[in-house]
Amino acid sequence: MVKGVSRRVIVVDSPDPKLFEQAIFIVRNEAFAQEGVTSDQVVSEACRVAKGYTAAAAGRPIPFRGLPGWVYAICGGGATALLWLMVSLLW
């Protein structure tokens, strides 16, 4: 379904293409209605947010990323068995 709505969009190329190619920002219509806000300021803010996202994602390693799926299955089964044992002993 196509909706007849006009939107202002800012497309920012990624500072780090390993994470994403482009960031698409849909700008509120009220953003340009405020006094003193220029289109250059809105574009620079979009670039700043995209750079901040890549910096935050690059500095934060994903824990347990290289583990195979069977390790997760064994850990889940062990946690379930431990919980079942604790509940059965307490009741």
Side-chain angles (χ1 to χ4, degrees):
M1 171 186 265
V2 177
K3 195 173 181 182
V5 176
S6 172
R7 297 280 184 180
R8 291 185 180 180
V9 176
I10 297 174
V11 178
V12 178
D13 289 330
S14 173
D16 185 7
K18 291 182 233 173
L19 295 174
F20 59 89
E21 292 179 22
Q22 294 177 332
I24 301 172
F25 294 91
I26 300 173
V27 182
R28 293 182 182 268
N29 290 331
E30 299 88 29
F32 294 105
Q34 297 175 359
E35 290 184 26
V37 177
T38 64
S39 59
D40 291 335
Q41 290 173 331
V42 174
V43 170
S44 65
E45 179 69 13
C47 292
R48 187 190 66 77
V49 169
K51 287 178 185 175
Y53 175 79
T54 56
R60 184 181 66 229
I62 299 173
F64 312 113
R65 185 176 190 167
L67 295 177
W70 61 269
V71 174
Y72 291 110
I74 289 175
C75 290
T80 303
L82 183 62
L83 183 64
W84 177 81
L85 181 63
M86 289 173 53
V87 169
S88 65
L89 289 176
L90 292 176
W91 287 81

